[in-house]
Amino acid sequence: MSEKKKLKAGMKIGIAAAAALAAAAVVLGGIKLHRMHLRDQSGILLAFDDYSAESWEAHFDLFEQYDAKVTFFINASEPVEFCYKAQEQGHEIGFHTMSHVKLPDCTDEQVYQEAIAPIGMFREKGIEMTSFAYPYGNYNDRLNEMLLEHYNIVRGAWECQLNLKHNLRHGFVEAMPIDNGYFETQEAFETRVTEVLNELKKNKGVVACMYSHAIGDGEWSIDEEKLEFLLKKAEELGLKFYTFRELQDL
């Protein structure tokens, strides 16, 4: 091959390599931008407490419609069929004690049996629980210290707080109740939820925890109209639904 041909061949290889590098830079840049978007994207930690598997499972399609991942804090001594179905849908299983006791009234041994010992049984059967919600929202510093040795997140039940996402990797967090009993009308619910979601929209990388119990018309439930309003409004504002575990893994 002549020097001239060698030079042309080298130029072609160089151009191809440069093009490949440029393409790789675009891909990596896109990945970086996507990660930045996820980091900055605010959202909601939506949870359901106790154990209302029938009503929860009946709304899996609704959650999927709005790409909403949910954390179910269950009362049980070991995994039930619902746990596996929920995980298959991308939801999280958290814990809420075996028998919904008021933990501040319990001895350390009782706390261990109710809230800590079952972790091993769930783990053996394929459910890794890293999030815990206090029954009745009752807690104290002693309980936080004990439980945070075994869970990454422990959750209260009485306040609406905006939290930076990276602060949700470990520690205590409050949550806003959204049961029917807390709102006299649908309008009152929509007004309050809209206020909270608009605050989330104004800030980058923050989340608010909200929780209910069953899905239905009861006082300690959220009815379908309220639930769908929350899901739809969050979608309109570009807010994401996170699980507690998802934020722990960021």
Side-chain angles (χ1 to χ4, degrees), residues 175-199:
M176 170 185 171
I178 53 173
D179 287 318
N180 298 322
Y182 289 95
F183 303 93
E184 292 186 0
T185 63
Q186 174 73 18
E187 182 180 2
F189 173 85
E190 293 183 5
T191 298
R192 178 59 178 142
V193 166
T194 299
E195 288 174 353
V196 174
L197 298 189
N198 281 335
E199 284 300 311

mmCIF file of all heavy atoms in Angstrom, residues 175-199:
data_model
loop_
_atom_site.group_PDB
_atom_site.id
_atom_site.type_symbol
_atom_site.label_atom_id
_atom_site.label_comp_id
_atom_site.label_asym_id
_atom_site.label_seq_id
_atom_site.Cartn_x
_atom_site.Cartn_y
_atom_site.Cartn_z
ATOM 1 N N ALA A 175 -45.030 11.360 58.440
ATOM 2 C CA ALA A 175 -45.901 11.121 57.291
ATOM 3 C C ALA A 175 -47.244 11.801 57.490
ATOM 4 O O ALA A 175 -47.722 11.967 58.611
ATOM 5 C CB ALA A 175 -46.100 9.618 57.081
ATOM 6 N N MET A 176 -47.861 12.160 56.386
ATOM 7 C CA MET A 176 -49.145 12.860 56.388
ATOM 8 C C MET A 176 -50.281 11.850 56.187
ATOM 9 O O MET A 176 -50.308 11.130 55.203
ATOM 10 C CB MET A 176 -49.153 13.883 55.234
ATOM 11 C CG MET A 176 -50.495 14.514 54.951
ATOM 12 S SD MET A 176 -50.378 15.574 53.475
ATOM 13 C CE MET A 176 -52.105 15.982 53.202
ATOM 14 N N PRO A 177 -51.253 11.804 57.114
ATOM 15 C CA PRO A 177 -52.390 10.901 56.920
ATOM 16 C C PRO A 177 -53.343 11.432 55.851
ATOM 17 O O PRO A 177 -53.640 12.638 55.807
ATOM 18 C CB PRO A 177 -53.069 10.886 58.292
ATOM 19 C CG PRO A 177 -52.705 12.189 58.923
ATOM 20 C CD PRO A 177 -51.337 12.539 58.395
ATOM 21 N N ILE A 178 -53.824 10.550 55.004
ATOM 22 C CA ILE A 178 -54.763 10.965 53.947
ATOM 23 C C ILE A 178 -56.026 10.096 53.964
ATOM 24 O O ILE A 178 -56.691 9.930 52.948
ATOM 25 C CB ILE A 178 -54.104 10.944 52.548
ATOM 26 C CG1 ILE A 178 -53.444 9.594 52.256
ATOM 27 C CG2 ILE A 178 -53.097 12.076 52.411
ATOM 28 C CD1 ILE A 178 -52.931 9.472 50.813
ATOM 29 N N ASP A 179 -56.366 9.550 55.129
ATOM 30 C CA ASP A 179 -57.613 8.796 55.268
ATOM 31 C C ASP A 179 -58.816 9.713 55.117
ATOM 32 O O ASP A 179 -58.743 10.922 55.388
ATOM 33 C CB ASP A 179 -57.675 8.129 56.640
ATOM 34 C CG ASP A 179 -56.726 6.950 56.750
ATOM 35 O OD1 ASP A 179 -56.636 6.166 55.795
ATOM 36 O OD2 ASP A 179 -56.072 6.813 57.805
ATOM 37 N N ASN A 180 -59.945 9.119 54.754
ATOM 38 C CA ASN A 180 -61.180 9.888 54.586
ATOM 39 C C ASN A 180 -61.546 10.676 55.839
ATOM 40 O O ASN A 180 -62.055 11.797 55.747
ATOM 41 C CB ASN A 180 -62.342 8.935 54.252
ATOM 42 C CG ASN A 180 -62.130 8.186 52.956
ATOM 43 O OD1 ASN A 180 -61.605 8.731 51.991
ATOM 44 N ND2 ASN A 180 -62.533 6.921 52.914
ATOM 45 N N GLY A 181 -61.291 10.090 57.003
ATOM 46 C CA GLY A 181 -61.703 10.719 58.252
ATOM 47 C C GLY A 181 -61.030 12.044 58.542
ATOM 48 O O GLY A 181 -61.512 12.803 59.405
ATOM 49 N N TYR A 182 -59.935 12.353 57.853
ATOM 50 C CA TYR A 182 -59.221 13.612 58.096
ATOM 51 C C TYR A 182 -59.748 14.768 57.241
ATOM 52 O O TYR A 182 -59.289 15.901 57.392
ATOM 53 C CB TYR A 182 -57.737 13.432 57.826
ATOM 54 C CG TYR A 182 -57.044 12.582 58.874
ATOM 55 C CD1 TYR A 182 -56.858 11.222 58.673
ATOM 56 C CD2 TYR A 182 -56.604 13.136 60.072
ATOM 57 C CE1 TYR A 182 -56.241 10.430 59.637
ATOM 58 C CE2 TYR A 182 -55.983 12.364 61.042
ATOM 59 C CZ TYR A 182 -55.812 11.007 60.812
ATOM 60 O OH TYR A 182 -55.207 10.238 61.773
ATOM 61 N N PHE A 183 -60.697 14.480 56.352
ATOM 62 C CA PHE A 183 -61.184 15.514 55.432
ATOM 63 C C PHE A 183 -62.710 15.475 55.392
ATOM 64 O O PHE A 183 -63.310 14.422 55.155
ATOM 65 C CB PHE A 183 -60.618 15.284 54.025
ATOM 66 C CG PHE A 183 -59.117 15.246 53.988
ATOM 67 C CD1 PHE A 183 -58.434 14.035 54.100
ATOM 68 C CD2 PHE A 183 -58.379 16.414 53.885
ATOM 69 C CE1 PHE A 183 -57.047 13.987 54.084
ATOM 70 C CE2 PHE A 183 -56.994 16.381 53.869
ATOM 71 C CZ PHE A 183 -56.327 15.163 53.985
ATOM 72 N N GLU A 184 -63.325 16.627 55.607
ATOM 73 C CA GLU A 184 -64.784 16.672 55.637
ATOM 74 C C GLU A 184 -65.392 16.476 54.260
ATOM 75 O O GLU A 184 -66.503 15.954 54.136
ATOM 76 C CB GLU A 184 -65.244 18.003 56.230
ATOM 77 C CG GLU A 184 -64.922 18.161 57.715
ATOM 78 C CD GLU A 184 -65.521 19.409 58.311
ATOM 79 O OE1 GLU A 184 -66.197 20.160 57.560
ATOM 80 O OE2 GLU A 184 -65.330 19.655 59.515
ATOM 81 N N THR A 185 -64.678 16.930 53.226
ATOM 82 C CA THR A 185 -65.218 16.840 51.862
ATOM 83 C C THR A 185 -64.105 16.462 50.883
ATOM 84 O O THR A 185 -62.917 16.572 51.201
ATOM 85 C CB THR A 185 -65.809 18.188 51.412
ATOM 86 O OG1 THR A 185 -64.752 19.166 51.370
ATOM 87 C CG2 THR A 185 -66.914 18.650 52.352
ATOM 88 N N GLN A 186 -64.527 16.074 49.703
ATOM 89 C CA GLN A 186 -63.574 15.819 48.627
ATOM 90 C C GLN A 186 -62.808 17.095 48.293
ATOM 91 O O GLN A 186 -61.601 17.070 48.050
ATOM 92 C CB GLN A 186 -64.324 15.324 47.376
ATOM 93 C CG GLN A 186 -63.466 15.149 46.128
ATOM 94 C CD GLN A 186 -62.551 13.942 46.192
ATOM 95 O OE1 GLN A 186 -62.769 13.042 47.011
ATOM 96 N NE2 GLN A 186 -61.548 13.894 45.327
ATOM 97 N N GLU A 187 -63.511 18.216 48.318
ATOM 98 C CA GLU A 187 -62.870 19.500 48.011
ATOM 99 C C GLU A 187 -61.763 19.821 49.013
ATOM 100 O O GLU A 187 -60.688 20.305 48.637
ATOM 101 C CB GLU A 187 -63.908 20.619 48.013
ATOM 102 C CG GLU A 187 -63.335 21.983 47.647
ATOM 103 C CD GLU A 187 -64.381 23.080 47.661
ATOM 104 O OE1 GLU A 187 -65.543 22.800 47.995
ATOM 105 O OE2 GLU A 187 -64.019 24.235 47.334
ATOM 106 N N ALA A 188 -62.022 19.545 50.296
ATOM 107 C CA ALA A 188 -61.006 19.800 51.321
ATOM 108 C C ALA A 188 -59.777 18.930 51.088
ATOM 109 O O ALA A 188 -58.639 19.393 51.236
ATOM 110 C CB ALA A 188 -61.589 19.523 52.706
ATOM 111 N N PHE A 189 -60.002 17.678 50.703
ATOM 112 C CA PHE A 189 -58.888 16.780 50.394
ATOM 113 C C PHE A 189 -58.091 17.318 49.207
ATOM 114 O O PHE A 189 -56.859 17.405 49.245
ATOM 115 C CB PHE A 189 -59.425 15.386 50.074
ATOM 116 C CG PHE A 189 -58.376 14.429 49.579
ATOM 117 C CD1 PHE A 189 -57.593 13.703 50.475
ATOM 118 C CD2 PHE A 189 -58.154 14.250 48.217
ATOM 119 C CE1 PHE A 189 -56.614 12.825 50.021
ATOM 120 C CE2 PHE A 189 -57.181 13.378 47.759
ATOM 121 C CZ PHE A 189 -56.410 12.663 48.663
ATOM 122 N N GLU A 190 -58.783 17.679 48.131
ATOM 123 C CA GLU A 190 -58.113 18.148 46.926
ATOM 124 C C GLU A 190 -57.320 19.427 47.190
ATOM 125 O O GLU A 190 -56.210 19.590 46.673
ATOM 126 C CB GLU A 190 -59.135 18.368 45.812
ATOM 127 C CG GLU A 190 -59.771 17.069 45.317
ATOM 128 C CD GLU A 190 -60.733 17.285 44.164
ATOM 129 O OE1 GLU A 190 -60.838 18.437 43.676
ATOM 130 O OE2 GLU A 190 -61.377 16.302 43.740
ATOM 131 N N THR A 191 -57.876 20.314 47.993
ATOM 132 C CA THR A 191 -57.182 21.569 48.301
ATOM 133 C C THR A 191 -55.884 21.291 49.048
ATOM 134 O O THR A 191 -54.822 21.837 48.703
ATOM 135 C CB THR A 191 -58.079 22.487 49.145
ATOM 136 O OG1 THR A 191 -59.244 22.820 48.386
ATOM 137 C CG2 THR A 191 -57.348 23.761 49.528
ATOM 138 N N ARG A 192 -55.958 20.441 50.069
ATOM 139 C CA ARG A 192 -54.756 20.160 50.872
ATOM 140 C C ARG A 192 -53.707 19.418 50.063
ATOM 141 O O ARG A 192 -52.515 19.757 50.104
ATOM 142 C CB ARG A 192 -55.144 19.344 52.107
ATOM 143 C CG ARG A 192 -53.964 18.958 53.001
ATOM 144 C CD ARG A 192 -53.234 20.183 53.502
ATOM 145 N NE ARG A 192 -52.135 19.841 54.386
ATOM 146 C CZ ARG A 192 -50.973 20.466 54.407
ATOM 147 N NH1 ARG A 192 -50.750 21.489 53.589
ATOM 148 N NH2 ARG A 192 -50.021 20.110 55.250
ATOM 149 N N VAL A 193 -54.127 18.416 49.327
ATOM 150 C CA VAL A 193 -53.174 17.641 48.528
ATOM 151 C C VAL A 193 -52.533 18.517 47.460
ATOM 152 O O VAL A 193 -51.324 18.434 47.216
ATOM 153 C CB VAL A 193 -53.871 16.418 47.893
ATOM 154 C CG1 VAL A 193 -53.004 15.798 46.793
ATOM 155 C CG2 VAL A 193 -54.164 15.376 48.968
ATOM 156 N N THR A 194 -53.309 19.366 46.836
ATOM 157 C CA THR A 194 -52.769 20.257 45.810
ATOM 158 C C THR A 194 -51.720 21.194 46.409
ATOM 159 O O THR A 194 -50.682 21.459 45.788
ATOM 160 C CB THR A 194 -53.896 21.075 45.155
ATOM 161 O OG1 THR A 194 -54.815 20.175 44.522
ATOM 162 C CG2 THR A 194 -53.335 22.033 44.104
ATOM 163 N N GLU A 195 -51.968 21.699 47.614
ATOM 164 C CA GLU A 195 -50.987 22.556 48.295
ATOM 165 C C GLU A 195 -49.658 21.823 48.470
ATOM 166 O O GLU A 195 -48.586 22.368 48.189
ATOM 167 C CB GLU A 195 -51.512 22.974 49.660
ATOM 168 C CG GLU A 195 -52.633 23.982 49.631
ATOM 169 C CD GLU A 195 -53.213 24.240 51.020
ATOM 170 O OE1 GLU A 195 -52.819 23.528 51.970
ATOM 171 O OE2 GLU A 195 -54.065 25.139 51.143
ATOM 172 N N VAL A 196 -49.734 20.592 48.957
ATOM 173 C CA VAL A 196 -48.516 19.819 49.206
ATOM 174 C C VAL A 196 -47.790 19.505 47.902
ATOM 175 O O VAL A 196 -46.569 19.668 47.792
ATOM 176 C CB VAL A 196 -48.846 18.518 49.960
ATOM 177 C CG1 VAL A 196 -47.594 17.648 50.097
ATOM 178 C CG2 VAL A 196 -49.419 18.829 51.340
ATOM 179 N N LEU A 197 -48.537 19.075 46.889
ATOM 180 C CA LEU A 197 -47.900 18.715 45.624
ATOM 181 C C LEU A 197 -47.280 19.929 44.942
ATOM 182 O O LEU A 197 -46.217 19.820 44.318
ATOM 183 C CB LEU A 197 -48.912 18.039 44.698
ATOM 184 C CG LEU A 197 -49.516 16.722 45.187
ATOM 185 C CD1 LEU A 197 -50.319 16.056 44.067
ATOM 186 C CD2 LEU A 197 -48.464 15.768 45.715
ATOM 187 N N ASN A 198 -47.914 21.070 45.063
ATOM 188 C CA ASN A 198 -47.336 22.282 44.484
ATOM 189 C C ASN A 198 -46.030 22.660 45.184
ATOM 190 O O ASN A 198 -45.089 23.150 44.546
ATOM 191 C CB ASN A 198 -48.326 23.445 44.567
ATOM 192 C CG ASN A 198 -49.394 23.375 43.489
ATOM 193 O OD1 ASN A 198 -49.184 22.779 42.433
ATOM 194 N ND2 ASN A 198 -50.538 23.974 43.742
ATOM 195 N N GLU A 199 -45.959 22.448 46.504
ATOM 196 C CA GLU A 199 -44.707 22.693 47.224
ATOM 197 C C GLU A 199 -43.616 21.739 46.753
ATOM 198 O O GLU A 199 -42.451 22.131 46.615
ATOM 199 C CB GLU A 199 -44.920 22.554 48.736
ATOM 200 C CG GLU A 199 -45.640 23.727 49.378
ATOM 201 C CD GLU A 199 -44.872 25.036 49.183
ATOM 202 O OE1 GLU A 199 -43.651 25.055 49.447
ATOM 203 O OE2 GLU A 199 -45.493 26.029 48.765
#
